[in-house]
């Protein structure tokens, strides 16, 4: 913690130094807006969280315009399509059907590394190890954010607070319950994810629908693979040794890939439960929520990080309008604008999840309809175009 002074001042306080908070800090710093970001964990902890891997076209442009796109464009892998497989056959979704756009495979760990470096370069204040973060005076002109570092209390007086503290954050708790609706649904599936230093199964992602459950073959680079398996919500890591995971992947991927897949030791292994959550509205008085703090969706459509970034696009522009033009119109419209894209994305992620996952007890009608929908995607360019448009990301 740089500041010796326990009473600090900023125009905007950002709670959460994950990708959403760091990108907001970067864009506001570029616009000469005074920002302080509070992160509860260490920088190393944030940098080692293995999560997203697919970056939408719009996210790439946003990062590039914020001055953090250089490494993404040189080291990220441009993907102009992916495969969907079912019953040992596969077909390709050509993403360029969506106005010639592509996505980029580039790990969230790399994005946070780039964002930290860029923030450092601008001299941004990111305070790590901030505990017991709380917000007071949100209905006044000068809210205050309080926190502790090693037991010592600090206070920041500010104009606005951005809650970018993820699904387990505290920001949204400062919105009165009667002013907020939390929409929630839990899916009966989890994903078991592994990272391994092996060559990817294919040069594009493979989304595999299978009676035994969904599987995804993804990657981080040509020597680092990321695989996911659909499991129930009641599993233990100890019941999933590497050999069992590789065996299961081989069963769920088409033969064409399972016979040649390179296997190796996992270097990371974890479960993620699939759920959709939307907090509505995304603003109350001088507090604005963005990213996972406001919404969560199943990872099937690769949307969480991208949606966090589109929130930041709307929110950063709204702050810039306020500080540079004196207009609070965009701040007042932030929640409505962001939520329009949130609901579209929640719908797409649900559709893709239902299309590709196999419920434990699937009745024959449901299975037939799932196969019919997969066949329609394979046969119809219009259906593939609609999928491609959502996957590369609906425009901001
Ligand atoms: P984060 O990343 O959770 O960051 C929030 C930060 O806030 C800090 N924090 C606090 N700080 C101060 N005070 C407090 N009280 C605090 N409480 C929490 C946390 O320590 C953390 O550093 O949220 P953010 O920035 O909104 O970013 C969201 C993304 O991380 C998330 O949506 C994606 O990872 C989702 N996701 C994917 N998104 C994609 O766009 N494409 C993908 O391919 C993709 N794959 C995935 C995913 C998420 C996954 N898991 C593990 C949930 C694959 C998986 C398996
Ligand atoms: C990933 O590589 O982590 C990944 C890719 C695509 C998804 C979800 C996760 O849909």
């Amino acid at each position: 913690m740089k500041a010796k002074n326990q009473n600090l001042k900023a125009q905007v306080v950002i709670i959460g130094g994950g990708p959403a908070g760091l990108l907001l800090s970067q864009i506001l710093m570029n616009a000469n807006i005074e920002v302080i970001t509070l992160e509860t964990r260490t920088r190393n902890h944030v940098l080692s969280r293995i999560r997203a891997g697919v970056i939408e076209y719009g996210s790439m442009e946003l990062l590039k315009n914020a001055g953090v796109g250089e490494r993404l464009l040189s080291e990220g892998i441009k993907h102009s399509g992916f495969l969907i497989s079912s019953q040992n056959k596969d077909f390709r979704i050509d993403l360029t059907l969506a106005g010639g756009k592509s996505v980029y495979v580039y790990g969230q760990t790399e994005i946070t590394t780039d964002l930290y470096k860029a923030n450092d370069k601008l001299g941004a204040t990111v305070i790590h190890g901030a505990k017991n973060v709380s917000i007071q005076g949100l209905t006044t002109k000068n809210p205050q954010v309080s926190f502790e570092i090693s037991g010592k209390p600090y206070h920041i007086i500010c104009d606005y607070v951005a809650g970018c503290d993820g699904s387990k954050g505290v920001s949204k708790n400062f919105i009165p319950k009667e002013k907020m609706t939390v929409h929630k649904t839990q899916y009966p599936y989890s994903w078991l994810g592994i990272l391994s230093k092996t060559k990817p199964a294919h040069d594009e992602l493979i989304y595999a629908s299978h009676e035994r459950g969904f599987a995804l073959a993804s990657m981080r680079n040509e020597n680092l693979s990321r695989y996911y398996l659909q499991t129930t919500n009641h599993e233990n890591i100890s019941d999933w040794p590497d050999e069992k995971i590789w065996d299961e992947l081989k069963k769920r991927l088409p033969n064409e890939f399972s016979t040649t897949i390179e296997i190796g030791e996992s270097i990371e292994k974890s479960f993620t439960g699939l759920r959709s959550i939307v907090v509505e509205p995304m603003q109350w008085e001088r507090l604005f929520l963005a990213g996972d703090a406001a919404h969560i969706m199943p990872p099937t459509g690769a949307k969480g990080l991208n949606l966090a970034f589109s929130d930041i696009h709307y929110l950063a522009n709204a702050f810039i309008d306020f500080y540079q033009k004196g207009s609070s119109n965009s701040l007042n419209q932030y929640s409505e604008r962001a939520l329009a894209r949130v609901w579209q994305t929640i719908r797409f992620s649900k559709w893709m999840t239902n299309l590709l996952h196999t419920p434990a007890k699937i009745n024959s009608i449901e299975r037939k309809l799932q196969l019919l929908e997969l066949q329609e995607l394979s046969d119809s360019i219009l259906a593939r175009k609609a999928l491609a448009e959502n996957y590369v990301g609906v425009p901001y």
Side-chain angles (χ1 to χ4, degrees):
M1 164 95 188
K2 276 189 219 153
K4 295 209 168 49
N5 188 346
Q6 288 176 246
N7 293 308
L8 309 168
K9 263 186 141 185
Q11 289 172 310
V12 178
V13 172
I14 300 171
I15 304 179
L22 292 171
L23 180 60
L24 182 60
S25 166
Q26 171 76 13
I27 302 176
L28 297 187
M29 287 291 292
N30 278 335
N32 295 318
I33 295 168
E34 295 157 25
V35 206
I36 296 179
T37 303
L38 298 177
E39 167 58 50
T40 193
R41 312 301 294 251
T42 64
R43 183 160 167 156
N44 275 346
H45 180 94
V46 176
L47 289 175
S48 60
R49 269 193 304 238
I50 312 280
R51 286 189 179 172
V54 177
I55 307 302
E56 286 178 0
Y57 189 86
S59 300
M60 176 278 287
E61 291 211 305
L62 186 60
L63 290 164
K64 195 174 76 179
N65 293 338
V68 258
E70 204 176 308
R71 214 160 60 90
L72 161 61
L73 285 168
S74 63
E75 293 176 26
I77 316 169
K78 191 173 179 177
H79 280 224
S80 55
F82 62 82
L83 301 184
I84 293 183
S85 71
S86 165
Q87 304 203 300
N88 214 18
K89 286 190 291 214
D90 55 76
F91 58 93
R92 184 168 185 267
I93 303 295
D94 176 3
L95 293 173
T96 63
L97 287 171
K101 292 178 183 158
S102 302
V103 296
Y104 292 80
V105 167
Y106 190 66
Q108 181 162 329
T109 46
E110 304 309 313
I111 293 209
T112 35
T113 301
D114 296 348
L115 281 165
Y116 268 125
K117 275 197 188 142
N119 269 281
D120 287 349
K121 218 168 157 187
L122 292 173
T125 306
V126 182
I127 299 173
H128 285 93
K131 304 292 176 207
N132 294 327
V133 175
S134 66
I135 317 170
Q136 298 86 38
L138 277 169
T139 55
T140 69
K141 273 191 157 181
N142 286 112
Q144 177 174 304
V145 180
S146 306
F147 61 102
E148 287 170 17
I149 300 280
S150 312
K152 199 170 162 188
Y154 291 84
H155 309 280
I156 316 174
I157 300 282
C158 58
D159 300 331
Y160 292 104
V161 183
C164 302
D165 47 357
S167 59
K168 297 189 185 128
V170 293
S171 303
K172 59 179 165 292
N173 303 342
F174 294 92
I175 302 179
K177 290 226 163 11
E178 67 278 12
K179 299 286 179 193
M180 171 176 78
T181 305
V182 183
H183 308 271
K184 259 190 204 169
T185 182
Q186 170 99 26
Y187 295 79
Y189 320 119
S190 290
W191 279 16
L192 170 59
I194 60 160
L195 196 65
S196 77
K197 287 184 183 163
T198 50
K199 201 169 152 313
H202 180 50
D203 53 11
E204 293 188 335
L205 271 61
I206 309 168
Y207 288 83
S209 157
H210 196 280
E211 278 84 357
R212 297 181 67 87
F214 168 71
L216 171 60
S218 181
M219 68 194 75
R220 290 295 175 269
N221 60 47
E222 56 271 24
N223 296 309
L224 196 56
S225 302
R226 181 82 168 142
Y227 292 101
Y228 296 100
L229 284 175
Q230 172 194 336
T231 67
T232 70
N233 285 333
H234 320 284
E235 311 269 343
N236 295 310
I237 287 283
S238 54
D239 296 330
W240 285 91
D242 287 359
E243 309 80 69
K244 182 172 165 188
I245 297 176
W246 292 113
D247 281 351
E248 199 55 44
L249 275 166
K250 284 183 182 179
K251 286 180 184 147
R252 298 185 191 185
L253 291 171
N255 290 345
E256 185 190 343
F257 303 103
S258 60
T259 48
T260 54
I261 192 169
E262 186 186 342
I263 63 173
E265 208 185 312
S266 67
I267 53 172
E268 196 265 352
K269 198 187 281 186
S270 53
F271 285 104
T272 307
L274 268 57
R275 60 212 168 113
S276 300
I277 302 177
V278 180
V279 177
E280 196 168 34
M282 286 167 60
Q283 177 235 337
W284 181 70
E285 299 284 344
R286 287 178 174 251
L287 170 64
F288 295 80
L289 301 177
D292 279 15
H295 40 70
I296 298 286
M297 64 226 60
T300 326
K303 291 294 162 202
L305 177 65
N306 293 297
L307 198 57
F309 284 165
S310 63
D311 289 350
I312 296 305
H313 163 79
Y314 295 122
L315 186 55
N317 283 347
F319 280 135
I320 291 171
D321 272 2
F322 176 77
Y323 286 109
Q324 293 184 353
K325 299 184 198 147
S327 161
S328 35
N329 287 348
S330 306
L331 280 173
N332 295 336
Q333 287 163 6
Y334 164 71
S335 176
E336 201 183 320
R337 280 192 181 150
L339 279 166
R341 204 170 184 279
V342 168
W343 283 113
Q344 263 180 307
T345 310
I346 290 276
R347 183 198 62 80
F348 173 66
S349 303
K350 176 177 182 233
W351 173 80
M352 204 152 156
T353 301
N354 290 342
L355 176 74
L356 296 169
H357 288 68
T358 308
K361 285 188 199 134
I362 187 164
N363 69 41
S364 55
I365 290 198
E366 279 176 65
R367 182 62 184 150
K368 283 272 181 197
L369 293 178
Q370 214 178 30
L371 291 173
L372 192 68
E373 194 156 11
L374 285 161
Q375 190 62 46
E376 189 184 308
L377 266 180
S378 161
D379 293 345
S380 154
I381 192 166
L382 282 181
R384 292 199 301 280
K385 184 166 184 267
L387 169 46
E389 278 167 355
N390 280 286
Y391 196 87
V392 300
V394 289
Y396 298 169

